[in-house]
Amino acid sequence: MSLIVKKIAPLAALAFVFGSLSSARASDDFWQRSYEPEQKNIKKVDSAVIRFNDFDAKAQTNSTFIGDYLRSGIVLSDLACEQWLSSLGRADRDVSFAKDIMNVVGNLILGISGINGANPSSLARGSLGLAAGNASIDAFKNEVILGALADIEAKMNGGRKITAATIKGYIPTTTNYDDAKGLLISYHRDCSPNAIKVLLKTSLAAVKYEAADTTLTGPIVKAKTMVLVAKLVDEIYPGDSSKEVSSDDLYKLYVMKIAAPGPNPPPFVAAMVTPDATKLANDFSAKNETARLGMLQTIADLKQFDQRYKADKTAAQAKDTAAVQAANQEKNQAAEAVVTAQKALPPKEAAKVATSPEVAEFLAQPLSKPLTPNLLSELKKGSSLIVGPKTSALAKTLESATKTLEAKKVTLDAVQKVQNANDAAPAPKPASPEAAKSVVAPASVNAVLVPIAPAK
């Protein structure tokens, strides 16, 4: 009787374990719900598919829907990626649980069998079978589930968020359907077995995602620009293969012919008008100027000459502001010197200088009174009244201060004139939309893995 009990015990234990597990898993679909909260009301995958297909059809014939097409495609890709990762996660949970139960029950059976006097050969075969089962499960986890899924999912989702933000940044200038479709394909490719395998080759804690280097289009733009420049130079100087035109030459030509044309350019533009630039401009306008202007505008768009012109104008305005402030300060100092010199005169001579109400107001408040031509004339007239054969040193000081004030006013007027002329310069013309398409289409928008710098 005791032998029968011993043989039945492991089977009863096994039945109890699996019975309890089956009951828990079957209870109100607990096993399915325990993996993650119910999200079907939030995700609404069917609605996302319908919305994407609708925008897909519209975007093929109307570029105004490309933004909606990209956004709906990103959402649909996110939902599909989450479903795939969720399936892998559930499979990972299931096989891990099955492995644990297999080891628990297997070791229990082997242990009880050993106690019950099973021969070593039988125990060895049981152990080999248990090891083979574990190896099979590990192989499944490595090849199908692809490894430590939780860490991979967190890292991959971080990279996809960066890529999505990059794509959305290009929505305003993405007007071609195939370009937009290519962006979505690249984005969706980040959620794939290959992408996970790339992550597995790195130490997840030692790398991070960063936005793609969208300046990779530089070589493409450069090559396209070189072809257009060569064509324009050949148009201006046909048959002269030795003729070269630098980027600075083209920029000056752009400024003189497109950005700020005219016989009276603003001072900061006039500084660019060298003899060589003038000759190039004359050669440029000698023939087919309209067609050449179109080529020059395209080159300017590709080279972003509008931004360079804007920067030059801004720099000139900053320089003018500083020059006006300095000249105004020197004028104020000269005005105060005149007042000081007038007050140092004897009362009779001081009264002769302040003969007019305008001069009297100036002498009372030199920095608040506008320095008009009439005021300067009255000051010069007043100082001349006290100058003669026996002019005192104080009178000469006033005369000298008045002349200095007049010179400082001339300097101030000159720099203000330059400032006004530069302020009135035309604003840079924005690059054409067609050129913007070719410039902003990035070679890659996908976030890239980079090493994390060690803390110092």
Side-chain angles (χ1 to χ4, degrees):
M1 181 69 179
S2 60
L3 179 62
I4 297 175
V5 172
K6 289 181 179 179
K7 290 185 177 180
I8 293 176
L11 298 177
L14 182 63
F16 173 78
V17 170
F18 278 103
S20 300
L21 293 176
S22 299
S23 176
R25 293 178 62 169
S27 176
D28 194 21
D29 200 21
F30 169 78
W31 188 251
Q32 181 72 12
R33 292 185 297 105
S34 65
Y35 181 74
E36 62 183 0
E38 179 58 59
Q39 299 183 46
K40 65 180 181 180
N41 293 329
I42 297 176
K43 294 178 180 177
K44 295 186 177 180
V45 179
D46 293 339
S47 299
V49 172
I50 294 172
R51 188 167 60 255
F52 173 75
N53 289 335
D54 181 45
F55 287 133
D56 185 13
K58 291 178 180 178
Q60 294 183 48
T61 57
N62 189 342
S63 61
T64 59
F65 287 97
I66 284 182
D68 295 323
Y69 166 66
L70 283 171
R71 291 186 178 92
S72 62
I74 289 172
V75 170
L76 189 57
S77 175
D78 290 342
L79 294 176
C81 182
E82 190 172 346
Q83 282 190 334
W84 177 58
L85 291 175
S86 178
S87 298
L88 294 182
R90 291 176 187 277
D92 187 34
R93 192 265 302 266
D94 290 346
V95 298
S96 296
F97 182 78
K99 180 180 178 180
D100 292 341
I101 294 300
M102 180 185 70
N103 285 316
V104 169
V105 175
N107 287 314
L108 174 64
I109 293 175
L110 289 174
I112 294 178
S113 297
I115 294 172
N116 288 340
N119 61 67
S121 177
S122 298
L123 293 176
R125 285 195 295 271
S127 297
L128 287 174
L130 195 59
N134 282 319
S136 299
I137 292 176
D138 289 339
F140 176 80
K141 287 170 68 69
N142 291 332
E143 295 300 325
V144 178
I145 301 176
L146 301 172
L149 199 63
D151 294 338
I152 291 172
E153 181 178 0
K155 186 71 70 173
M156 186 170 64
N157 285 340
R160 282 171 60 84
K161 287 179 181 179
I162 295 174
T163 302
T166 304
I167 292 175
K168 291 175 182 178
Y170 284 99
I171 283 178
T173 51
T174 304
T175 57
N176 183 278
Y177 170 78
D178 289 326
D179 287 345
K181 187 173 184 178
L183 293 177
L184 284 181
I185 291 173
S186 295
Y187 177 70
H188 196 57
R189 194 178 294 124
D190 275 349
C191 185
S192 67
N194 284 338
I196 289 181
K197 289 176 181 177
V198 170
L199 279 173
L200 288 175
K201 290 181 180 179
T202 67
S203 172
L204 296 182
V207 293
K208 65 177 180 178
Y209 276 102
E210 286 188 357
D213 180 8
T214 55
T215 60
L216 293 175
T217 52
I220 301 173
V221 174
K222 183 178 180 181
K224 184 175 181 180
T225 305
M226 287 176 63
V227 173
L228 287 173
V229 170
K231 186 177 180 180
L232 177 61
V233 173
D234 185 64
E235 170 71 22
I236 300 173
Y237 303 106
D240 189 355
S241 59
S242 64
K243 192 68 176 178
E244 294 183 359
V245 178
S246 68
S247 182
D248 285 341
D249 294 334
L250 290 169
Y251 171 66
K252 292 175 183 178
L253 186 62
Y254 159 78
V255 173
M256 296 167 65
K257 293 297 180 181
I258 297 176
N264 298 310
F268 83 95
V269 172
M272 305 179 193
V273 185
T274 61
D276 289 342
T278 301
K279 185 180 184 306
L280 177 60
N282 293 335
D283 294 340
F284 177 87
S285 301
K287 186 180 179 181
N288 300 331
E289 185 174 18
T290 302
R292 294 175 181 178
L293 281 172
M295 296 174 63
L296 179 61
Q297 180 65 66
T298 302
I299 293 171
D301 290 341
L302 292 171
K303 285 183 169 288
Q304 297 183 319
F305 281 162
D306 59 321
Q307 298 301 316
R308 181 173 173 180
Y309 173 82
K310 181 180 180 180
D312 284 347
K313 180 179 178 180
T314 301
Q317 289 173 321
K319 183 178 178 180
D320 293 339
T321 300
V324 168
Q325 289 176 347
N328 191 59
Q329 184 177 5
E330 291 179 359
K331 184 268 296 180
N332 290 341
Q333 291 173 350
E336 290 175 336
V338 169
V339 174
T340 301
Q342 189 266 347
K343 291 181 177 179
L345 292 172
K348 289 184 178 181
E349 291 183 351
K352 289 181 180 180
V353 174
T355 53
S356 70
E358 189 174 11
V359 173
E361 291 179 12
F362 168 77
L363 294 172
Q365 294 180 320
L367 301 185
S368 61
K369 181 69 176 177
L371 199 59
T372 63
N374 184 65
L375 174 57
L376 280 172
S377 177
E378 291 292 330
L379 278 172
K380 290 170 63 178
K381 180 180 178 181
S383 63
S384 66
L385 293 177
I386 60 173
V387 176
K390 297 182 180 181
T391 302
S392 65
L394 295 176
K396 289 181 179 180
T397 300
L398 176 62
E399 182 183 33
S400 176
T402 303
K403 290 180 179 180
T404 299
L405 176 61
E406 183 179 25
K408 296 300 181 182
K409 182 61 169 66
V410 171
T411 301
L412 177 60
D413 290 343
V415 294
Q416 284 179 330
K417 183 178 180 181
V418 171
Q419 182 185 46
N420 293 336
N422 284 335
D423 287 344
K429 298 179 181 179
S432 67
E434 290 299 319
K437 291 178 195 175
S438 62
V439 174
V440 301
S444 173
V445 295
N446 294 66
V448 293
L449 281 172
V450 298
I452 297 176
K456 294 183 178 180

